[in-house]
């Protein structure tokens, strides 16, 4: 213990303000699922996607330490699968710090090895001391990061069309629902390391079916009608599931790139379910598709100039996408350039795109309760941008701290400040309340009106519900197991009081494993809140269901098919943007 504390002190001094990597950099040093049964939850939202190793060339950089071809291939695969989502395929940084040779060579192999092995006070886990990586693996990665990154291939219409499959034609699909499930209360649950989603009946708490999808599904999005679920894996594979079938199953699939995070469907009146859009991390582009079949219609690159320095960026990745309720538009975050695109899809053959300048490193976000204002985190810039989807303009850019990560955020009526939207943070314990009512509470609108202190940094999601008086906050990335395995819940009517800490992982009664607790999600009626307790691929995981009012356990869902459950998406809440 004394040695561990000493090394952490050394790292604090070494890192200082010069080169402290956030928690997400840990993804650079994890193994692939097949090799590593104890994948840490730190990688939850930042894992990259497999990229064909045969399509990249070994790059040897002057000044970098020697590395063999086999070592380079191994490290390349790990990097693309684990950390490109945070640092970028070209390692220019976004949510995570840049990892280009001009930086990494200056730190040196020994520095990087210590950093990887022992973690940092800023939240990077201790991959070596914990046994997650061997000394040899750490050494390979430390040397690899000092060489220039290989560039993967492009992925255009020829490749996209070749991947497109209509498994069940529209004419052969049911004309009405063939099952007795309460579709509104189905949960689509990501089984991250098995490349599947589990559809769980929210009423009975039974698994309906497990469906093979893209690897490490990032989100599930329900169509406006609620009939279809669209999933997108980090490998950029989009799958479309029909919930009307006797046993729901895939009816179409497509691969829109090599790495991706976002998918959405059209919701504006008259265009419901007609179109789908998916955004890629690599290549940096978005693809508009036919809603019922996923037939690709249009590819648009996002490469361009940054909003601040006005310099060209070769890898501006597509992050969050939401469907406007005010116009026939998709609202698209372009991470590295800091631009929000309003893509009018009324005529796909002649797209009208309005570009709004906000702040760099746009990531996730969600609607205020009126569904007019889209609040989105430019997380590495420590800002929240507010987009008025009705007037199609930037309403405000708000300073927050530190590395906000709201997921979709949470909407509540603050007893003092009125309607607010809430985000937690990766970089500190702050839970930030922003006023969202420019009519009834004008003085509070688009300002930080309240900050609570949560359990600590490393929070990924906050959640509430219009019928609830609770605000739930996870801390899945916190390096303290006691914190990462529990959640904080605040009484909305007593926000001046400390939260109750609920030991979710303990309530699951699992065996060994990291057991990180992530992403509260409400049932359709707002009476239950569900949590994923995520352990390793070969360890037992679970989903814990609490009564939202009493905060007591209603059910613990365990099943050998629940392999590394992470994100959960209730059909009713997802299609109606309720959070």
């Amino acid at each position: 213990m004394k040695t561990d504390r000493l090394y952490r002190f050394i790292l604090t001094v070494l890192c200082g303000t010069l080169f402290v990597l956030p928690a997400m950099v840990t993804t650079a040093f994890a193994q692939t699922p097949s090799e590593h049964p104890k994948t840490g939850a730190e990688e939850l939202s930042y894992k990259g996607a497999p990229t064909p190793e045969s399509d990249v060339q070994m790059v040897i950089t002057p000044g970098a330490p020697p590395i063999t071809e086999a070592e380079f291939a191994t490290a390349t695969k790990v990097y693309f699968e684990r950390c490109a989502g945070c640092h970028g395929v070209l390692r220019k940084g976004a949510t995570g710090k840049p990892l280009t040779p001009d930086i990494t060579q200056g730190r040196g192999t020994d520095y990087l090895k210590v950093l990887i092995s022992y973690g940092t006070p800023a939240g990077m886990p201790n991959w070596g001391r914990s046994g997650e990586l061997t000394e040899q693996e750490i050494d390979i990665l430390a040397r690899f990061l000092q060489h220039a990154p290989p560039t993967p291939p492009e992925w255009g219409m020829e490749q996209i069309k070749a991947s497109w499959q209509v498994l069940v034609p529209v004419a052969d699909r049911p004309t009405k629902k063939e099952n007795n499930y309460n579709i509104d209360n189905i949960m689509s649950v990501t089984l991250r390391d098995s490349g599947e989603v589990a559809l769980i009946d929210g009423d009975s708490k039974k698994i309906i079916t497990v469906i093979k999808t893209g690897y490490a599904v990032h989100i599930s999005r329900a169509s406006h009608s609620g009939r279809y679920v669209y999933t997108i894996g980090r490998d950029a594979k989009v799958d479309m599931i029909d919930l009307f079938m006797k046993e729901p199953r895939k009816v179409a699939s497509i691969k829109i790139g090599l790495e991706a995070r976002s998918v959405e469907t059209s919701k504006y009146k008259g265009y419901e379910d007609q179109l789908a859009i998916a955004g890629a991390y690599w290549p940096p582009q978005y693809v508009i598709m036919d809603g019922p079949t996923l037939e690709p219609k249009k590819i648009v690159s996002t490469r361009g100039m940054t909003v601040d320095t006005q310099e060209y960026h070769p890898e501006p990745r597509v992050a969050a996408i939401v469907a406007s309720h005010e116009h026939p538009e998709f609202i698209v975050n372009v991470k590295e350039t800091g631009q929000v695109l309003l893509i009018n899809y009324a005529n796909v053959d002649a797209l009208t795109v309005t570009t709004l300048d906000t702040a760099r490193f746009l990531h996730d976000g969600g609607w205020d309760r009126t569904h007019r204002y889209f609040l989105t985190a430019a997380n590495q810039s420590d800002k929240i941008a507010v987009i008025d989807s009705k007037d199609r303009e930037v309403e405000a850019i708000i300073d927050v701290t530190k590395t906000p990560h709201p997921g979709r955020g949470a909407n509540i009526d603050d007893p003092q400040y009125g309607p607010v939207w809430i985000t937690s943070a990766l970089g500190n314990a702050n839970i930030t309340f922003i006023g969202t009512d420019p009519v009834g509470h004008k003085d509070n609108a688009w300002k930080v009106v309240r900050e609570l202190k949560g359990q600590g940094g490393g929070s990924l999601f906050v959640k509430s519900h219009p019928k609830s008086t609770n605000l739930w906050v996870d801390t899945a990335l916190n390096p303290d197991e006691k914190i990462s395995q529990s959640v904080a819940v605040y009484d909305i009517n007593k926000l001046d009081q400390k939260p109750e800490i609920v030991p979710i992982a303990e309530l699951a009664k699992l065996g060994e494993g990291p057991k990180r607790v992530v992403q509260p999600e409400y049932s359709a009626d707002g009476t239950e809140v569900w949590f994923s307790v995520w352990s390793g691929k070969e360890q037992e995981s679970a989903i814990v269901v609490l009564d939202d009012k009493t905060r007591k356990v209603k059910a613990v869902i365990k099943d050998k098919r629940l392999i590394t459950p992470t994100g959960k998406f209730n059909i009713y809440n997802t299609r109606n943007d309720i959070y």
Side-chain angles (χ1 to χ4, degrees):
M1 291 299 293
K2 290 182 180 179
T3 301
D4 294 338
R5 286 196 295 269
L6 175 61
Y7 270 98
R8 286 202 174 271
F9 173 75
I10 292 170
L11 279 166
T12 304
V13 175
L14 280 172
C15 296
T17 59
L18 295 176
F19 191 64
V20 178
L21 301 184
M24 295 76 66
V25 77
T26 62
T27 60
F29 312 117
Q31 293 174 310
T32 62
S34 61
E35 297 167 335
H36 200 289
K38 297 181 179 179
T39 303
E42 294 85 352
E43 303 168 78
L44 177 61
S45 290
Y46 305 101
K47 183 169 182 176
T51 300
E53 296 171 57
S54 60
D55 291 328
V56 297
Q57 298 297 317
M58 183 174 177
V59 180
I60 297 299
T61 305
I67 189 169
T68 69
E69 187 172 347
E71 289 173 334
F72 194 92
T74 297
T76 296
K77 184 174 187 293
V78 170
Y79 186 86
F80 280 127
E81 290 187 347
R82 298 294 180 171
C83 54
C86 178
H87 299 279
V89 170
L90 304 180
R91 294 197 220 142
K92 291 183 177 293
T95 305
K97 297 288 185 180
L99 293 174
T100 47
D102 58 310
I103 297 172
T104 53
Q105 284 188 20
R107 302 309 174 203
T109 301
D110 289 341
Y111 176 94
L112 295 172
K113 286 167 65 175
V114 172
L115 191 69
I116 296 165
S117 297
Y118 289 92
T120 73
M124 178 173 169
N126 46 2
W127 292 99
R129 187 173 63 86
S130 66
E132 300 290 334
L133 291 177
T134 67
E135 289 185 10
Q136 182 182 12
E137 291 163 339
I138 291 169
D139 179 69
I140 291 172
L141 287 164
R143 287 183 282 123
F144 169 79
L145 290 174
Q146 297 173 70
H147 292 266
T151 302
E154 299 295 318
W155 190 266
M157 186 60 81
E158 180 182 356
Q159 292 83 7
I160 291 174
K161 280 193 171 180
S163 74
W164 173 48
Q165 291 182 298
V166 178
L167 305 172
V168 181
V170 174
D172 295 339
R173 299 174 195 170
T175 56
K176 61 182 180 179
K177 191 161 73 81
E178 294 182 338
N179 58 61
N180 294 320
Y181 298 116
N182 175 8
I183 286 179
D184 274 348
N185 204 32
I186 287 177
M187 293 277 187
S188 180
V189 180
T190 296
L191 305 181
R192 182 177 177 274
D193 286 350
S194 66
E196 298 169 316
V197 295
L199 298 181
I200 300 180
D201 180 4
D203 293 348
S204 69
K205 313 298 186 292
K206 303 292 186 183
I207 294 178
I208 298 169
T209 187
V210 173
I211 297 173
K212 197 70 179 175
T213 58
Y215 175 69
V217 162
H218 190 240
I219 55 173
S220 296
R221 287 289 175 257
S223 64
H224 183 272
S225 65
R227 172 173 182 167
Y228 295 111
V229 174
Y230 297 78
T231 67
I232 188 162
R234 286 167 172 78
D235 57 0
K237 185 170 182 285
V238 179
D239 289 296
M240 181 182 180
I241 300 167
D242 189 350
L243 299 180
F244 273 20
M245 291 182 164
K246 185 174 182 180
E247 181 176 286
R249 67 185 182 97
K250 284 192 299 185
V251 293
S253 67
I254 194 169
K255 188 171 167 61
I256 59 97
L258 297 175
E259 185 188 358
R261 291 296 185 278
S262 51
V263 67
E264 183 61 287
T265 64
S266 52
K267 293 184 177 179
Y268 187 67
K269 186 176 181 180
Y271 294 88
E272 299 94 331
D273 296 359
Q274 289 187 12
L275 295 170
I277 183 173
Y281 269 24
W282 188 271
Q285 62 192 27
Y286 59 86
V287 180
I288 296 177
M289 301 160 283
D290 177 65
T293 66
L294 298 182
E295 179 184 5
K297 298 292 188 183
K298 177 84 70 175
I299 307 172
V300 182
S301 173
T302 55
R303 291 181 170 103
M305 314 307 284
T306 62
V307 298
D308 46 9
T309 58
Q310 294 289 289
E311 60 184 316
Y312 177 76
H313 200 292
E315 193 189 351
R317 297 169 289 173
V318 178
I321 301 176
V322 296
S324 175
H325 301 270
E326 300 284 352
H327 300 281
E329 291 180 336
F330 294 120
I331 302 176
V332 174
N333 280 352
V334 184
K335 185 185 289 281
E336 279 75 15
T337 56
Q339 295 172 331
V340 176
L341 308 181
L342 309 181
I343 302 167
N344 189 295
Y345 51 72
N347 184 351
V348 175
D349 293 327
L351 287 178
T352 300
V353 180
T354 299
T355 302
L356 303 178
D357 288 351
T358 60
R360 290 185 68 184
F361 311 118
L362 292 165
H363 191 60
D364 54 353
W367 294 106
D368 79 309
R369 193 155 285 175
T370 69
H371 295 162
R372 173 173 174 171
Y373 299 100
F374 174 54
L375 293 93
T376 185
N379 50 22
Q380 201 61 26
S381 296
D382 298 330
K383 296 182 187 297
I384 299 294
V386 183
I387 306 300
D388 182 344
S389 69
K390 182 176 182 180
D391 292 343
R392 307 173 74 250
E393 63 186 14
V394 178
E395 186 71 17
I397 298 179
I398 306 160
D399 291 325
V400 296
T401 58
K402 167 64 172 143
T403 320
H405 193 288
R408 287 279 172 125
N411 289 294
I412 70 168
D413 286 320
D414 186 291
Q416 183 175 351
Y417 300 107
V420 297
W421 178 89
I422 303 167
T423 179
S424 54
L426 287 165
N428 60 25
N430 287 356
I431 302 164
T432 303
F433 291 47
I434 295 172
T436 59
D437 182 12
V439 177
H441 298 77
K442 184 177 180 180
D443 291 343
N444 300 330
W446 319 130
K447 298 176 182 177
V448 175
V449 296
R450 187 191 295 272
E451 281 186 346
L452 302 179
K453 292 297 180 182
Q455 293 196 83
S459 175
L460 288 173
F461 299 102
V462 292
K463 188 72 71 171
S464 191
H465 190 278
K467 296 181 181 179
S468 174
T469 59
N470 287 326
L471 172 67
W472 300 87
V473 185
D474 72 15
T475 38
L477 301 190
N478 196 284
D480 186 327
E481 286 188 359
K482 185 176 180 180
I483 295 175
S484 66
Q485 294 182 3
S486 61
V487 297
V489 54
Y490 295 82
D491 186 331
I492 292 170
N493 296 314
K494 301 175 183 178
L495 291 170
D496 57 335
Q497 297 183 6
K498 290 184 177 181
E500 178 184 352
I501 306 303
V502 184
I504 300 294
E506 181 181 316
L507 297 173
K509 297 181 179 179
L510 299 173
E512 65 173 9
K515 298 187 288 292
R516 292 184 177 270
V517 175
V518 66
Q519 202 213 26
E521 175 71 340
Y522 274 86
S523 57
D525 62 6
T527 63
E528 298 173 351
V529 60
W530 294 40
F531 299 89
S532 295
V533 185
W534 175 25
S535 281
K537 185 177 180 181
E538 315 240 345
Q539 296 163 325
E540 187 179 39
S541 295
I543 293 173
V544 174
V545 182
L546 300 187
D547 183 292
D548 182 63
K549 187 174 182 179
T550 66
R551 305 176 181 176
K552 303 300 182 184
V553 176
K554 287 189 69 174
V556 176
I557 304 173
K558 296 181 181 180
D559 190 291
K560 64 181 181 180
R561 295 172 291 175
L562 283 180
I563 299 170
T564 58
T566 55
K568 302 162 298 303
F569 303 90
N570 175 269
I571 299 302
Y572 181 83
N573 294 334
T574 300
R575 72 184 178 91
N576 290 289
D577 291 314
I578 294 173
Y579 30 85

